[in-house]
Amino acid sequence: MLGGPVWIALIRFVISLAGTIVLFSLMSRPKFGKKRTVTGYLCFGAVAIAAACIWYVIDWERCVKMVAFVLFLFFAVFAAYMSSDPIALSMYKLALTFYLLAVFLIGGIEVAVLFFDRNVWADIAARVVIILLMVLFIDKKVKNSIRGFSEYVENELDRFSVTVMIISILFGIGFILRPNMKEQTPFRLYQILMNFFLTGSLQILVFRLYLHIGKENEYRKENQLMQMNHRLLERNIELLEQSVESGKRIRHDARHHNTVIAEYARRGQNEELLQYLKEYNREMDKSAVSAICANTVVNNLLSAYTERALKSGIKVVLDVELGKEPAIPNIDLVTVLANAYENAIYGCVEVKMQTKERECFIHLTVRKKKNKIAIYCANTCRPEMEMRNGMPRPEATGGVGVHSIIRTAEKFEGEYDFKNDSGVFVFRLVMNIPSAGECK
């Protein structure tokens, strides 16, 4: 069935390798630009097909048995290089591509054997039709979900389970492609169908598993964002209540001051009146709230959290240089600063509960330079606080904030890092300021 002149083999090699490249390209994210990617695959394909044809002429029997495995092995190495996906994720997509390769190879052969008396052209035509159907289905129905699924796998990847799944698929497909099974029996067809069914089911199960895990984590992140918004609303309500109480106190005190001033004026005691007004001004200066920055929203937010930190016995150092219009929407700045400050307070409180003698501090710096905003936050934390994948564990921050910070940073193509420096937790972030058109 796989014999014939070398030019027939050439056509089969071209169709099979082209189909494999197209199927993998639909699911992977290229590392290079379109022109370089196409050129790379064309050069690889030309070299691989030429080598396969030479092998076919020199040793036909071994070529027929091993060419599919050898070509795919070299393709897997080259495709992993051409893809920007992590290596484990590329291996998963290559295993899926290998499964689809087995489907159109065996499908073409079986169609030719069962319905066209082993006609070579029927085999070739069947492969082309099956590949086109796969490409259309993946492009229309699966491509977007596969790429979204890839992000979930990349973030939640359990390398052991993925490795076991890939090995299982390769063994299953290896059994299907065994070239020494030449007898066409109902039992052999049953074996092929069952292997395709089982390996396909395994792919679907893994796909749905990681999709479910990814969506669950997305829901958890959304829930954390809602908690953060809830806390921000609580802080705003506290500020509003403080403003109302301050207004009442000012009006109450003003009546007393007016009475005293009126009494001094009625008696003509001008010197005493001037002295009283000086003392009153000094008291007003002491009680005045110091401005942290020119941006009203950020100023109120930091004021509220600073007051909360000071009440908890935490030393606070603020170095904020931010104008009225920071060019990044206030909601995004608030998301980052509120979460960073809230987590810093939580870390300090945890330390105080563990060691009351230890002095806790929070140092927050916000600077705008040219087209970037830099944020630095350092706070006391437990020396044994663990990190996972470069981020603090949720229980180390009260379960709120880190994912919201990361999401905002990525929104503005920012760079960030978290680290525990011997009992001092350090968070750094640099965000790019978008142009006026992008902000809208």
Side-chain angles (χ1 to χ4, degrees):
M1 183 63 210
L2 295 177
V6 67
W7 62 273
I8 293 291
L10 172 64
I11 295 174
R12 281 179 168 148
F13 292 152
V14 170
I15 292 172
S16 299
L17 187 57
T20 304
I21 291 173
V22 170
L23 291 170
F24 180 76
S25 299
L26 283 173
M27 296 180 288
S28 69
R29 293 175 294 189
K31 182 187 297 184
F32 309 107
K34 185 177 181 180
K35 184 178 180 180
R36 186 174 176 181
T37 301
V38 172
T39 303
Y41 278 124
L42 285 176
C43 293
F44 170 81
V47 173
I49 291 169
C53 290
I54 294 171
W55 186 13
Y56 186 87
V57 172
I58 295 173
D59 190 353
W60 170 83
E61 187 174 353
R62 289 187 180 179
C63 180
V64 168
K65 290 181 179 179
M66 299 299 297
V67 69
F69 293 103
V70 174
L71 276 181
F72 188 80
L73 178 62
F74 282 102
F75 169 76
V77 174
F78 184 76
Y81 168 73
M82 296 294 288
S83 174
S84 63
D85 294 321
I87 187 64
L89 184 56
S90 293
M91 290 300 103
Y92 170 80
K93 292 181 178 179
L94 284 167
L96 175 57
T97 305
F98 194 26
Y99 174 77
L100 298 176
L101 167 67
V103 170
F104 69 73
L105 284 181
I106 298 300
I109 293 173
E110 295 302 324
V111 167
V113 169
L114 293 174
F115 303 107
F116 297 96
D117 193 23
R118 299 176 179 270
N119 185 280
V120 172
W121 297 109
D123 171 29
I124 293 172
R127 293 187 189 191
V128 173
V129 171
I130 294 172
I131 291 172
L132 289 175
L133 290 175
M134 288 178 176
V135 169
L136 287 173
F137 179 76
I138 292 174
D139 187 57
K140 299 295 183 183
K141 301 292 185 181
V142 183
K143 183 171 68 174
N144 292 333
S145 59
I146 279 283
R147 290 186 175 176
F149 158 77
S150 299
E151 295 177 2
Y152 295 147
V153 174
E154 186 176 345
N155 294 327
E156 311 298 335
L157 191 63
D158 178 1
R159 288 172 174 79
F160 176 77
S161 62
V162 171
T163 302
V164 172
M165 180 271 299
I166 291 173
I167 292 173
S168 301
I169 290 173
L170 294 180
F171 273 121
I173 298 172
F175 176 81
I176 294 170
L177 292 176
R178 278 195 299 173
N180 59 344
M181 296 184 65
K182 298 180 180 180
E183 296 182 4
Q184 190 72 16
T185 64
F187 179 69
R188 177 174 178 270
L189 289 175
Y190 171 76
Q191 284 182 314
I192 291 174
L193 290 174
M194 286 305 298
N195 270 278
F196 273 130
F197 173 75
L198 292 175
T199 51
S201 298
L202 180 60
Q203 291 274 6
I204 293 172
L205 287 174
V206 171
F207 177 82
R208 292 185 64 84
L209 171 64
Y210 279 104
L211 200 63
H212 173 74
I213 293 174
K215 287 184 176 180
E216 184 178 348
N217 287 333
E218 286 292 325
Y219 294 146
R220 188 177 70 249
K221 293 173 187 176
E222 291 294 336
N223 183 51
Q224 290 179 353
L225 187 59
M226 291 175 63
Q227 291 181 32
M228 187 273 293
N229 289 333
H230 177 71
R231 295 189 182 196
L232 287 179
L233 286 174
E234 288 181 340
R235 299 289 91 77
N236 287 333
I237 291 173
E238 289 177 5
L239 287 173
L240 181 61
E241 290 176 347
Q242 290 174 4
S243 298
V244 172
E245 290 298 322
S246 177
K248 289 180 179 178
R249 186 174 61 254
I250 290 172
R251 289 192 297 272
H252 180 268
D253 293 342
R255 285 196 295 270
H256 291 291
H257 292 306
N258 290 338
T259 301
V260 173
I261 291 171
E263 185 63 22
Y264 277 127
R266 187 178 62 81
R267 294 182 180 183
Q269 298 174 323
N270 296 328
E271 293 295 329
E272 290 81 353
L273 175 59
L274 291 174
Q275 184 63 31
Y276 177 79
L277 290 175
K278 289 180 182 179
E279 292 177 1
Y280 178 71
N281 288 333
R282 282 197 297 268
E283 290 298 322
M284 290 294 292
D285 292 337
K286 289 181 182 179
S287 60
V289 179
S290 59
I292 298 173
C293 68
N295 184 281
T296 305
V297 175
V298 173
N299 187 82
N300 291 340
L301 173 78
L302 296 181
S303 298
Y305 277 105
T306 300
E307 183 177 349
R308 180 181 168 191
L310 294 175
K311 286 181 179 178
S312 300
I314 302 169
K315 182 180 178 181
V316 178
V317 177
L318 298 177
D319 183 9
V320 182
E321 294 181 5
L322 206 61
K324 291 183 178 180
E325 300 295 334
I328 284 183
N330 285 326
I331 185 63
D332 295 306
L333 274 177
V334 165
T335 297
V336 174
L337 293 174
N339 280 299
Y341 213 152
E342 181 114 17
N343 293 341
I345 293 174
Y346 182 87
C348 291
V349 171
E350 286 286 296
V351 171
K352 283 187 168 294
M353 292 174 61
Q354 190 180 54
T355 310
K356 293 184 178 179
E357 297 81 16
R358 187 178 176 188
E359 184 179 357
C360 295
F361 72 91
I362 296 174
H363 182 188
L364 178 64
T365 302
V366 183
R367 295 286 178 84
K368 178 184 175 183
K369 292 185 177 180
K370 296 182 179 179
N371 63 332
K372 296 182 183 295
I373 286 184
I375 297 174
Y376 170 89
C377 183
N379 64 273
T380 311
C381 70
R382 293 182 290 110
E384 66 274 13
M385 188 189 77
E386 296 182 5
M387 306 284 286
R388 181 176 62 187
N389 297 328
M391 295 187 295
R393 290 177 175 270
E395 57 269 21
T397 61
V400 177
V402 173
H403 289 296
S404 298
I405 291 173
I406 292 174
R407 178 179 296 182
T408 305
E410 291 175 347
K411 178 180 177 182
F412 295 96
E413 300 178 351
E415 297 181 2
Y416 56 87
D417 70 343
F418 307 87
K419 67 176 180 178
N420 182 355
D421 188 7
S422 302
V424 176
F425 181 77
V426 178
F427 158 61
R428 295 180 297 180
L429 168 66
V430 176
M431 290 190 294
N432 295 313
I433 296 175
S435 61
E438 293 175 334
C439 289
K440 293 179 180 180

